[in-house]
Amino acid sequence: MSATTQIGTETVLQFGRFQLHPYKRQLLQGDRPVRIGSRALDILLVLVAQPGEIIAKETIIARVWGSTVVEEINLRVHIAALRRALGEGHTGERYIANVPLRGYGFVGVVETLQAQPSRVAPVGNLPVLLVGLVGRMRLAQHLIEQMPGTRLLTLVGPGGIGKTSLAIQACESLQSQYAGILFLDLSPVATPEALARLLATELDVAGEGRWLLVLDNCEHLACACAQQVERLLRQYPALGVLATSREPLRAEGEHVLRLPPLEVPADDEVSLMGAMCCSAVQLFVQRARDVHGRLGLNPVQVRAIVEVCRRLDGIPLAIEMAARQIDTLGLAGLPKLLDSGFLLHMPGRRTAPARQRSLGAIYDWSFDLLSDTEQDCLRLLARLGGSFTAEAAVSALVDTRLCRERILAALCQLVDKSLLLVEEGEYGVRYRMLHTVRAYALEGHSGGWPDHASPAA
């Protein structure tokens, strides 16, 4: 089933309640994107290309994984995920047939459509994501639905959690809602005055109509950003603002969406299928195979991957860094290495901003934005381990000569700045420090951390 696609058009495959856009690599159910992994989508593309035919397992593996040696269980895992995405077993519809000892076939009726070409090219400067996101489909859909009715929304989370990528992915689907989207990376902007000049220059070239302004990396100018955003929203009634920051802007009318870590298996003895259902493991396996195509998935390797993802707190950027080390360091010893100083110095992409080339650099950026009191509190709270109450935090910081009120204020600021997590449970509110943040705070020699500092200073 092949077709020649004209420039400006796209072949769309429709079956049942679904539409598959091969060029966009997107599966829709009605108007809603379907949450589906990259490998499962690749398998679907192979099957729907020959509807009604049984395709050998070896053929599917060769087309999806190329020259990579993959065990058949990997194919079964992704077939199961594909069936869940298509709702098999819940709606009574059946799309994928399995013929024992032969292979799989697509049994749905496939109709080929031509999507209408866009009449107007997208306006703005939205960056292009070079790799797809893993485990963020639900958040992206929430953002797509919420943003058109919200004038100011801030994506908040620690460094490396994927705020920028999520914003870009959502904006790709929001382009039809706006006359244009203007993306501004604020990390190189050093002062409030420079921010004001940048906004004046960029907005001066924006056209008429409803625009979306994306302000990326606002945390070092949070106060100035809040002031400028409030001014712009009053000046331009049709303007919407999507910001990313390690802390809320605390501006009038702000909606805050905090990004959680990727899902990590809770059980050490989780099955392969159970592990592959967790987004953190999916991301590790995908990125590891980018550099080490022969990665297998036996029980020992699965346990090692789960342990790595857990030690890295489900932070996408950290998981990607670790996955790319297995080509030189192997997988078996990686969890132990993450208990050493190597954790903070794993190299990232060469082309990444300086603040994201290692975990140490990520936390240097956050640490430098803390007050002296907040820095002292972070270091002492790192010694507590596990989760703790506000009272335990006050007791741990008793030697800082700070009054109870200042300690609680510093605790709230560390939560606000994504360096502490809040957990509400049966026994009240508790606080927890990410493993990677604790490692940074206890190491105490990174840039911005004065070796001579003392809690009482």
Side-chain angles (χ1 to χ4, degrees):
M1 185 186 67
S2 62
T4 301
T5 303
Q6 298 176 356
I7 295 176
T9 66
E10 179 203 347
T11 299
V12 179
L13 306 177
Q14 180 170 304
F15 52 91
R17 300 165 294 124
F18 299 93
Q19 280 195 351
L20 177 61
H21 295 249
Y23 180 77
K24 295 179 181 178
R25 292 184 58 79
Q26 186 179 50
L27 179 65
L28 300 178
Q29 181 177 344
D31 294 327
R32 294 177 175 269
V34 176
R35 186 179 182 182
I36 185 171
S38 177
R39 294 293 188 191
L41 181 60
D42 288 338
I43 293 170
L44 177 60
L45 290 169
V46 171
L47 295 177
V48 298
Q50 299 172 245
E53 298 182 25
I54 301 302
I55 304 175
K57 298 173 184 178
E58 296 79 7
T59 301
I60 298 174
I61 290 173
R63 293 182 184 176
V64 173
W65 279 275
S67 60
T68 302
V69 177
V70 175
E71 297 178 359
E72 185 181 317
I73 189 173
N74 294 323
L75 175 60
R76 293 204 298 267
V77 167
H78 290 294
I79 287 285
L82 176 56
R83 283 175 163 152
R84 287 195 300 272
L86 296 175
E88 290 194 5
H90 297 285
T91 64
E93 295 173 301
R94 186 181 180 217
Y95 295 105
I96 301 174
N98 177 24
V99 178
L101 303 179
R102 290 187 59 194
Y104 297 91
F106 193 86
V107 295
V109 177
V110 179
E111 183 179 0
T112 303
L113 309 174
Q114 289 291 327
Q116 293 298 319
S118 299
R119 295 184 178 179
V120 181
V123 178
N125 64 339
L126 189 66
V128 176
L129 291 178
L130 298 183
V131 294
L133 298 188
V134 175
R136 296 304 197 196
M137 182 63 74
R138 190 173 300 173
L139 274 174
Q141 185 60 36
H142 175 74
L143 186 56
I144 291 166
E145 293 173 352
Q146 186 175 359
M147 197 62 230
T150 305
R151 295 208 64 201
L152 171 60
L153 189 147
T154 305
L155 297 177
V156 175
I161 202 70
K163 302 180 291 295
T164 301
S165 296
L166 179 62
I168 294 172
Q169 177 166 300
C171 285
E172 288 177 349
S173 298
L174 286 168
Q175 291 184 113
S176 63
Q177 304 281 333
Y178 296 92
I181 297 179
L182 182 61
F183 183 95
L184 299 178
D185 178 10
L186 301 187
S187 57
V189 182
T191 65
E193 294 75 20
L195 173 65
R197 290 193 298 270
L198 175 66
L199 291 174
T201 301
E202 296 293 340
L203 288 176
D204 185 55
V205 301
E208 298 294 329
R210 192 179 184 210
W211 276 71
L212 178 61
L213 174 63
V214 183
L215 298 178
D216 192 35
N217 300 304
C218 297
E219 56 273 352
H220 63 303
L221 293 169
C223 182
C225 282
Q227 294 172 348
Q228 290 293 333
V229 165
E230 287 187 5
R231 178 185 65 80
L232 291 173
L233 293 178
R234 292 189 178 98
Q235 183 177 352
Y236 301 101
L239 181 69
V241 178
L242 174 61
T244 75
S245 178
R246 300 189 188 187
E247 62 176 298
L249 302 185
R250 298 207 295 270
E252 184 177 355
E254 179 185 29
H255 293 250
V256 176
L257 178 59
R258 287 192 177 269
L259 270 61
L262 296 180
E263 184 183 5
V264 179
D267 186 0
D268 288 336
E269 300 301 324
V270 65
S271 67
L272 171 59
M273 184 171 293
M276 288 300 296
C277 288
C278 292
S279 50
V281 175
Q282 292 172 15
L283 179 62
F284 184 96
V285 171
Q286 286 189 23
R287 297 297 179 261
R289 283 180 171 155
D290 288 344
V291 298
H292 191 78
R294 298 180 64 86
L295 175 69
L297 286 176
N298 60 50
V300 174
Q301 289 173 315
V302 170
R303 283 195 294 271
I305 292 172
V306 168
E307 185 61 24
V308 167
C309 293
R310 186 176 295 147
R311 290 175 187 271
L312 295 176
D313 306 305
I315 296 176
L317 186 59
I319 290 172
E320 291 186 349
M321 289 178 181
R324 293 185 179 279
Q325 307 309 310
I326 68 167
D327 196 36
T328 54
L329 300 175
L331 179 57
L334 192 54
K336 291 184 179 179
L337 278 174
L338 296 183
D339 279 335
S340 67
F342 175 74
L343 170 66
L344 298 176
H345 302 288
M346 288 188 299
R349 289 184 295 107
R350 296 180 190 274
T351 56
R355 68 183 188 286
Q356 289 189 335
R357 290 179 188 167
S358 69
L359 285 179
I362 287 174
Y363 291 127
D364 282 345
W365 176 267
S366 291
F367 185 82
D368 288 343
L369 298 176
L370 300 178
S371 68
D372 291 343
T373 297
E374 292 162 359
Q375 291 177 356
D376 291 340
C377 290
L378 181 71
R379 181 174 61 178
L380 292 175
L381 291 175
R383 300 175 184 176
L384 291 179
S387 64
F388 52 86
T389 64
E391 292 304 318
V394 171
S395 298
L397 301 176
V398 67
D399 292 335
T400 59
R401 302 177 187 174
L402 296 173
C403 65
R404 174 185 174 84
E405 288 72 21
R406 289 190 65 188
I407 291 175
L408 293 177
L411 191 68
C412 290
Q413 284 297 305
L414 293 176
V415 171
D416 228 22
K417 296 177 179 181
S418 304
L419 293 171
L420 283 180
L421 302 180
V422 179
E423 299 175 335
E424 294 191 50
E426 181 180 355
Y427 300 103
V429 175
R430 299 183 69 85
Y431 301 88
R432 181 170 64 86
M433 189 175 294
L434 295 175
H435 175 79
T436 49
V437 175
R438 179 177 292 109
Y440 176 90
L442 293 177
E443 186 172 83
H445 68 262
S446 300
W449 190 286
D451 291 334
H452 60 275
S454 66

